[in-house]
Each structure stands twice: as structure tokens, then as C-alpha cells.
mmCIF file of all heavy atoms in Angstrom:
data_model
loop_
_atom_site.group_PDB
_atom_site.id
_atom_site.type_symbol
_atom_site.label_atom_id
_atom_site.label_comp_id
_atom_site.label_asym_id
_atom_site.label_seq_id
_atom_site.Cartn_x
_atom_site.Cartn_y
_atom_site.Cartn_z
ATOM 1 N N ALA A 1 0.829 -1.230 -0.053
ATOM 2 C CA ALA A 1 0.002 0.008 -0.016
ATOM 3 C C ALA A 1 0.850 1.269 -0.025
ATOM 4 O O ALA A 1 0.556 2.194 -0.658
ATOM 5 C CB ALA A 1 -0.910 -0.014 1.236
ATOM 6 N N TYR A 2 1.973 1.236 0.755
ATOM 7 C CA TYR A 2 2.898 2.352 0.738
ATOM 8 C C TYR A 2 3.591 2.546 -0.639
ATOM 9 O O TYR A 2 3.658 3.636 -1.232
ATOM 10 C CB TYR A 2 3.940 2.147 1.880
ATOM 11 C CG TYR A 2 5.191 3.033 1.721
ATOM 12 C CD1 TYR A 2 5.061 4.438 1.855
ATOM 13 C CD2 TYR A 2 6.427 2.535 1.409
ATOM 14 C CE1 TYR A 2 6.209 5.229 1.759
ATOM 15 C CE2 TYR A 2 7.520 3.340 1.236
ATOM 16 C CZ TYR A 2 7.401 4.713 1.391
ATOM 17 O OH TYR A 2 8.457 5.497 1.331
ATOM 18 N N LEU A 3 4.041 1.479 -1.168
ATOM 19 C CA LEU A 3 4.786 1.498 -2.407
ATOM 20 C C LEU A 3 3.806 2.095 -3.565
ATOM 21 O O LEU A 3 4.289 2.769 -4.438
ATOM 22 C CB LEU A 3 5.313 0.195 -2.850
ATOM 23 C CG LEU A 3 6.467 -0.328 -1.935
ATOM 24 C CD1 LEU A 3 6.775 -1.796 -2.335
ATOM 25 C CD2 LEU A 3 7.696 0.445 -2.050
ATOM 26 N N ASN A 4 2.565 1.743 -3.439
ATOM 27 C CA ASN A 4 1.611 2.160 -4.489
ATOM 28 C C ASN A 4 0.952 3.469 -4.174
ATOM 29 O O ASN A 4 0.043 3.913 -4.907
ATOM 30 C CB ASN A 4 0.521 1.076 -4.699
ATOM 31 C CG ASN A 4 0.798 0.186 -5.897
ATOM 32 O OD1 ASN A 4 1.419 0.647 -6.879
ATOM 33 N ND2 ASN A 4 0.310 -1.076 -5.865
ATOM 34 N N GLY A 5 1.372 4.184 -3.143
ATOM 35 C CA GLY A 5 0.923 5.510 -2.951
ATOM 36 C C GLY A 5 -0.384 5.680 -2.167
ATOM 37 O O GLY A 5 -0.959 6.738 -2.174
ATOM 38 N N HIS A 6 -0.865 4.614 -1.588
ATOM 39 C CA HIS A 6 -2.123 4.737 -0.860
ATOM 40 C C HIS A 6 -1.927 5.333 0.562
ATOM 41 O O HIS A 6 -2.903 5.688 1.232
ATOM 42 C CB HIS A 6 -2.776 3.361 -0.788
ATOM 43 C CG HIS A 6 -3.250 2.762 -2.098
ATOM 44 N ND1 HIS A 6 -4.280 3.325 -2.743
ATOM 45 C CD2 HIS A 6 -2.800 1.777 -2.837
ATOM 46 C CE1 HIS A 6 -4.476 2.679 -3.879
ATOM 47 N NE2 HIS A 6 -3.566 1.745 -3.964
ATOM 48 N N GLN A 7 -0.663 5.314 0.964
ATOM 49 C CA GLN A 7 -0.341 5.998 2.192
ATOM 50 C C GLN A 7 1.128 6.595 2.055
ATOM 51 O O GLN A 7 1.838 6.039 1.249
ATOM 52 C CB GLN A 7 -0.460 5.105 3.454
ATOM 53 C CG GLN A 7 0.336 3.774 3.309
ATOM 54 C CD GLN A 7 -0.170 2.817 4.444
ATOM 55 O OE1 GLN A 7 -1.169 2.198 4.279
ATOM 56 N NE2 GLN A 7 0.623 2.683 5.456
ATOM 57 N N ASP A 8 1.417 7.573 2.804
ATOM 58 C CA ASP A 8 2.637 8.292 2.623
ATOM 59 C C ASP A 8 3.822 7.763 3.452
ATOM 60 O O ASP A 8 4.873 8.438 3.513
ATOM 61 C CB ASP A 8 2.456 9.785 2.834
ATOM 62 C CG ASP A 8 1.454 10.391 1.885
ATOM 63 O OD1 ASP A 8 1.440 9.959 0.700
ATOM 64 O OD2 ASP A 8 0.723 11.320 2.303
ATOM 65 N N HIS A 9 3.642 6.656 4.176
ATOM 66 C CA HIS A 9 4.644 6.172 5.044
ATOM 67 C C HIS A 9 4.444 4.663 5.231
ATOM 68 O O HIS A 9 3.413 4.089 4.916
ATOM 69 C CB HIS A 9 4.454 6.846 6.388
ATOM 70 C CG HIS A 9 3.044 6.598 6.942
ATOM 71 N ND1 HIS A 9 2.683 5.464 7.632
ATOM 72 C CD2 HIS A 9 1.936 7.327 6.842
ATOM 73 C CE1 HIS A 9 1.354 5.507 7.968
ATOM 74 N NE2 HIS A 9 0.852 6.613 7.443
ATOM 75 N N PHE A 10 5.568 4.030 5.697
ATOM 76 C CA PHE A 10 5.529 2.597 5.999
ATOM 77 C C PHE A 10 5.549 2.447 7.480
ATOM 78 O O PHE A 10 6.561 2.137 8.100
ATOM 79 C CB PHE A 10 6.707 1.935 5.344
ATOM 80 C CG PHE A 10 6.814 0.420 5.613
ATOM 81 C CD1 PHE A 10 5.689 -0.370 5.696
ATOM 82 C CD2 PHE A 10 8.071 -0.148 5.782
ATOM 83 C CE1 PHE A 10 5.771 -1.695 5.899
ATOM 84 C CE2 PHE A 10 8.196 -1.473 6.013
ATOM 85 C CZ PHE A 10 7.023 -2.323 6.102
ATOM 86 N N THR A 11 4.398 2.832 8.128
ATOM 87 C CA THR A 11 4.282 2.722 9.590
ATOM 88 C C THR A 11 3.061 1.939 9.904
ATOM 89 O O THR A 11 2.047 2.089 9.222
ATOM 90 C CB THR A 11 4.169 4.157 10.166
ATOM 91 O OG1 THR A 11 5.209 4.978 9.793
ATOM 92 C CG2 THR A 11 3.975 4.072 11.640
ATOM 93 N N MET A 12 3.123 1.080 10.917
ATOM 94 C CA MET A 12 2.004 0.126 11.223
ATOM 95 C C MET A 12 1.616 0.237 12.764
ATOM 96 O O MET A 12 2.498 0.716 13.558
ATOM 97 C CB MET A 12 2.346 -1.271 10.864
ATOM 98 C CG MET A 12 2.599 -1.497 9.425
ATOM 99 S SD MET A 12 3.129 -3.276 9.064
ATOM 100 C CE MET A 12 1.647 -4.160 9.598
ATOM 101 N N LEU A 13 0.429 -0.069 12.993
ATOM 102 C CA LEU A 13 0.053 -0.214 14.409
ATOM 103 C C LEU A 13 0.939 -1.233 15.067
ATOM 104 O O LEU A 13 1.283 -2.242 14.485
ATOM 105 C CB LEU A 13 -1.448 -0.657 14.460
ATOM 106 C CG LEU A 13 -2.565 0.110 13.756
ATOM 107 C CD1 LEU A 13 -3.865 -0.391 14.075
ATOM 108 C CD2 LEU A 13 -2.511 1.602 14.110
ATOM 109 N N GLY A 14 1.248 -0.935 16.315
ATOM 110 C CA GLY A 14 2.091 -1.844 17.083
ATOM 111 C C GLY A 14 3.485 -1.951 16.626
ATOM 112 O O GLY A 14 4.270 -2.853 17.019
ATOM 113 N N GLY A 15 3.916 -1.040 15.745
ATOM 114 C CA GLY A 15 5.260 -1.069 15.179
ATOM 115 C C GLY A 15 5.584 -2.290 14.367
ATOM 116 O O GLY A 15 6.779 -2.696 14.269
ATOM 117 N N GLN A 16 4.555 -2.922 13.757
ATOM 118 C CA GLN A 16 4.783 -4.177 13.040
ATOM 119 C C GLN A 16 5.504 -4.030 11.749
ATOM 120 O O GLN A 16 5.698 -5.077 11.060
ATOM 121 C CB GLN A 16 3.463 -4.939 12.962
ATOM 122 C CG GLN A 16 2.984 -5.478 14.245
ATOM 123 C CD GLN A 16 2.078 -6.648 14.155
ATOM 124 O OE1 GLN A 16 2.080 -7.395 13.181
ATOM 125 N NE2 GLN A 16 1.292 -6.943 15.171
ATOM 126 N N GLU A 17 5.839 -2.837 11.341
ATOM 127 C CA GLU A 17 6.635 -2.697 10.172
ATOM 128 C C GLU A 17 8.004 -3.399 10.332
ATOM 129 O O GLU A 17 8.718 -3.631 9.342
ATOM 130 C CB GLU A 17 6.853 -1.235 9.726
ATOM 131 C CG GLU A 17 7.589 -0.448 10.756
ATOM 132 C CD GLU A 17 6.699 0.197 11.850
ATOM 133 O OE1 GLU A 17 5.545 -0.235 11.969
ATOM 134 O OE2 GLU A 17 7.267 1.108 12.511
ATOM 135 N N SER A 18 8.342 -3.706 11.503
ATOM 136 C CA SER A 18 9.721 -4.261 11.836
ATOM 137 C C SER A 18 9.670 -5.819 11.837
ATOM 138 O O SER A 18 10.725 -6.398 12.085
ATOM 139 C CB SER A 18 10.172 -3.862 13.196
ATOM 140 O OG SER A 18 9.343 -4.324 14.227
ATOM 141 N N THR A 19 8.458 -6.459 11.454
ATOM 142 C CA THR A 19 8.481 -7.861 11.651
ATOM 143 C C THR A 19 8.996 -8.686 10.459
ATOM 144 O O THR A 19 9.189 -9.899 10.510
ATOM 145 C CB THR A 19 7.017 -8.381 11.843
ATOM 146 O OG1 THR A 19 6.217 -8.114 10.727
ATOM 147 C CG2 THR A 19 6.428 -7.732 13.133
ATOM 148 N N ARG A 20 9.390 -8.002 9.339
ATOM 149 C CA ARG A 20 10.009 -8.691 8.217
ATOM 150 C C ARG A 20 11.332 -8.104 7.943
ATOM 151 O O ARG A 20 11.586 -6.935 8.135
ATOM 152 C CB ARG A 20 9.067 -8.614 7.024
ATOM 153 C CG ARG A 20 7.787 -9.413 7.091
ATOM 154 C CD ARG A 20 7.948 -10.921 7.281
ATOM 155 N NE ARG A 20 6.720 -11.580 6.838
ATOM 156 C CZ ARG A 20 6.526 -12.892 6.999
ATOM 157 N NH1 ARG A 20 7.514 -13.654 7.557
ATOM 158 N NH2 ARG A 20 5.396 -13.491 6.569
ATOM 159 N N SER A 21 12.248 -8.897 7.421
ATOM 160 C CA SER A 21 13.625 -8.500 7.183
ATOM 161 C C SER A 21 13.731 -7.685 5.926
ATOM 162 O O SER A 21 12.923 -7.641 5.055
ATOM 163 C CB SER A 21 14.498 -9.728 7.057
ATOM 164 O OG SER A 21 14.255 -10.435 5.872
ATOM 165 N N MET A 22 14.926 -7.037 5.771
ATOM 166 C CA MET A 22 15.248 -6.260 4.538
ATOM 167 C C MET A 22 15.182 -7.173 3.339
ATOM 168 O O MET A 22 14.620 -6.765 2.248
ATOM 169 C CB MET A 22 16.630 -5.602 4.704
ATOM 170 C CG MET A 22 17.221 -5.015 3.396
ATOM 171 S SD MET A 22 18.851 -4.267 3.682
ATOM 172 C CE MET A 22 19.791 -5.836 4.017
ATOM 173 N N LEU A 23 15.762 -8.400 3.453
ATOM 174 C CA LEU A 23 15.776 -9.254 2.313
ATOM 175 C C LEU A 23 14.343 -9.775 1.926
ATOM 176 O O LEU A 23 13.974 -9.890 0.749
ATOM 177 C CB LEU A 23 16.624 -10.504 2.554
ATOM 178 C CG LEU A 23 18.155 -10.244 2.624
ATOM 179 C CD1 LEU A 23 18.891 -11.475 3.082
ATOM 180 C CD2 LEU A 23 18.628 -9.808 1.246
ATOM 181 N N HIS A 24 13.491 -9.916 2.926
ATOM 182 C CA HIS A 24 12.128 -10.305 2.642
ATOM 183 C C HIS A 24 11.356 -9.187 1.892
ATOM 184 O O HIS A 24 10.698 -9.467 0.891
ATOM 185 C CB HIS A 24 11.383 -10.495 4.011
ATOM 186 C CG HIS A 24 9.910 -10.917 3.825
ATOM 187 N ND1 HIS A 24 9.469 -12.190 3.750
ATOM 188 C CD2 HIS A 24 8.815 -10.082 3.738
ATOM 189 C CE1 HIS A 24 8.157 -12.158 3.519
ATOM 190 N NE2 HIS A 24 7.703 -10.908 3.536
ATOM 191 N N LEU A 25 11.619 -7.916 2.321
ATOM 192 C CA LEU A 25 10.887 -6.810 1.692
ATOM 193 C C LEU A 25 11.513 -6.651 0.218
ATOM 194 O O LEU A 25 10.724 -6.316 -0.766
ATOM 195 C CB LEU A 25 11.195 -5.514 2.461
ATOM 196 C CG LEU A 25 10.577 -5.489 3.880
ATOM 197 C CD1 LEU A 25 10.894 -4.200 4.580
ATOM 198 C CD2 LEU A 25 9.032 -5.701 3.790
ATOM 199 N N ALA A 26 12.775 -6.923 -0.001
ATOM 200 C CA ALA A 26 13.367 -6.767 -1.321
ATOM 201 C C ALA A 26 12.764 -7.789 -2.254
ATOM 202 O O ALA A 26 12.450 -7.480 -3.405
ATOM 203 C CB ALA A 26 14.847 -6.970 -1.222
ATOM 204 N N GLU A 27 12.666 -9.079 -1.801
ATOM 205 C CA GLU A 27 12.045 -10.110 -2.640
ATOM 206 C C GLU A 27 10.592 -9.789 -2.892
ATOM 207 O O GLU A 27 10.043 -10.036 -4.019
ATOM 208 C CB GLU A 27 12.245 -11.451 -2.019
ATOM 209 C CG GLU A 27 11.786 -12.659 -2.839
ATOM 210 C CD GLU A 27 12.483 -12.775 -4.164
ATOM 211 O OE1 GLU A 27 13.523 -12.124 -4.440
ATOM 212 O OE2 GLU A 27 11.971 -13.473 -5.053
ATOM 213 N N LEU A 28 9.893 -9.328 -1.935
ATOM 214 C CA LEU A 28 8.475 -8.859 -2.026
ATOM 215 C C LEU A 28 8.376 -7.869 -3.210
ATOM 216 O O LEU A 28 7.466 -7.959 -4.079
ATOM 217 C CB LEU A 28 7.971 -8.348 -0.758
ATOM 218 C CG LEU A 28 6.484 -7.818 -0.656
ATOM 219 C CD1 LEU A 28 6.000 -7.943 0.794
ATOM 220 C CD2 LEU A 28 6.330 -6.460 -1.276
ATOM 221 N N PHE A 29 9.257 -6.893 -3.177
ATOM 222 C CA PHE A 29 9.258 -5.818 -4.250
ATOM 223 C C PHE A 29 9.408 -6.451 -5.609
ATOM 224 O O PHE A 29 8.731 -6.106 -6.595
ATOM 225 C CB PHE A 29 10.353 -4.876 -3.936
ATOM 226 C CG PHE A 29 10.442 -3.675 -4.886
ATOM 227 C CD1 PHE A 29 9.669 -2.560 -4.632
ATOM 228 C CD2 PHE A 29 11.232 -3.686 -5.977
ATOM 229 C CE1 PHE A 29 9.678 -1.486 -5.463
ATOM 230 C CE2 PHE A 29 11.255 -2.602 -6.849
ATOM 231 C CZ PHE A 29 10.491 -1.513 -6.629
ATOM 232 N N ARG A 30 10.392 -7.387 -5.733
ATOM 233 C CA ARG A 30 10.637 -7.987 -7.055
ATOM 234 C C ARG A 30 9.396 -8.753 -7.521
ATOM 235 O O ARG A 30 8.953 -8.669 -8.701
ATOM 236 C CB ARG A 30 11.832 -8.954 -7.026
ATOM 237 C CG ARG A 30 13.182 -8.340 -6.702
ATOM 238 C CD ARG A 30 14.265 -9.483 -6.710
ATOM 239 N NE ARG A 30 15.610 -8.820 -6.248
ATOM 240 C CZ ARG A 30 16.077 -8.950 -5.057
ATOM 241 N NH1 ARG A 30 15.341 -9.568 -4.125
ATOM 242 N NH2 ARG A 30 17.266 -8.373 -4.783
#
């Protein structure tokens, strides 16, 4: 949702933006 512009930040309730690794997010992007 952040990458597609539906929100202006990658922030989550409970700070859960930290639950996945950098490599996980990179592969998700690909």
C-alpha cells in the first residue's frame, strides 16, 4: 500500500513494520 501511494509512510499499528527483514521486503518488491 505504501509503495503504491495509498499512504505516505511505511508505519504500522504496534510497530509491526519491523516484523519482516530487509531481504524479505526486497524479494516482495521483485
Side-chain angles (χ1 to χ4, degrees):
Y2 164 65
L3 294 171
N4 259 331
H6 294 290
Q7 53 194 77
D8 297 325
H9 56 86
F10 179 38
T11 305
M12 296 177 64
L13 304 185
Q16 289 205 22
E17 65 272 16
S18 66
T19 64
R20 292 297 199 186
S21 71
M22 172 180 66
L23 287 174
H24 178 93
L25 297 178
E27 184 61 15
L28 182 156
F29 184 87
R30 296 181 185 97

